[in-house]
Amino acid sequence: GVIGSTYGLHFIDVTDPTNAFEAFKVAGASAGAYLIHRDMKDYNGYLYCVADEGPSRLQIIDIQDLPNSVTQVYNSNEFVTTSHNLYIDTSQQRLYLLGAGGSAKVLDISNPTQPTLLASYPNASYYMPYTHDGFVKDNIGFFN
């Protein structure tokens, strides 16, 4: 399992449920008692992670070698400094960053360690206010 904390991400080995232990941890881009919300989703052997507070960023962790190791492969604020939530549309290989500094951003993750920006909302063509959470199916987004 993975737990987000004020420190970062904790990878818990629960192979033996009576003897669970922290196998790995990855520091968040920002840490401290003020940081109370992290969100993470896995896709195709990678864990995509954001935080809602502090000078954060998008972090991508290669989890393909679990239970032996985890490796952070991307740690950048190019697209986001804070994000409340994220959603991955696996059929389209798209990462949706929601509540991302007052906007929503769509990234192409067909190259899982080098995301590229597809769209940011609101923009000149479409006004979309702050989105807290979302779900996408068949190229239709359901946002709150």
Side-chain angles (χ1 to χ4, degrees), residues 74-90:
Y74 183 90
N75 184 7
S76 174
N77 64 0
E78 177 181 1
F79 304 114
V80 66
T81 54
T82 61
S83 182
H84 177 73
N85 197 352
L86 59 91
Y87 180 81
I88 298 175
D89 177 358
T90 59

Side-chain angles (χ1 to χ4, degrees), residues 59-75:
Q59 293 177 279
I60 304 172
I61 301 165
D62 184 335
I63 57 173
Q64 296 174 81
D65 194 36
L66 279 174
N68 301 312
S69 68
V70 298
T71 306
Q72 182 171 262
V73 294
Y74 183 90
N75 184 7

Side-chain angles (χ1 to χ4, degrees), residues 46-68:
Y46 295 90
L47 189 68
Y48 295 82
C49 315
V50 294
D52 201 1
E53 297 92 12
S56 192
R57 55 191 54 219
L58 174 63
Q59 293 177 279
I60 304 172
I61 301 165
D62 184 335
I63 57 173
Q64 296 174 81
D65 194 36
L66 279 174
N68 301 312

Side-chain angles (χ1 to χ4, degrees), residues 15-46:
T15 304
D16 176 359
T18 62
N19 190 26
F21 63 94
E22 181 179 82
F24 307 101
K25 66 182 175 182
V26 175
S30 186
Y34 62 90
L35 202 152
I36 57 170
H37 183 81
R38 292 189 192 278
D39 193 31
M40 69 239 29
K41 302 286 188 302
D42 68 305
Y43 172 65
N44 211 21
Y46 295 90

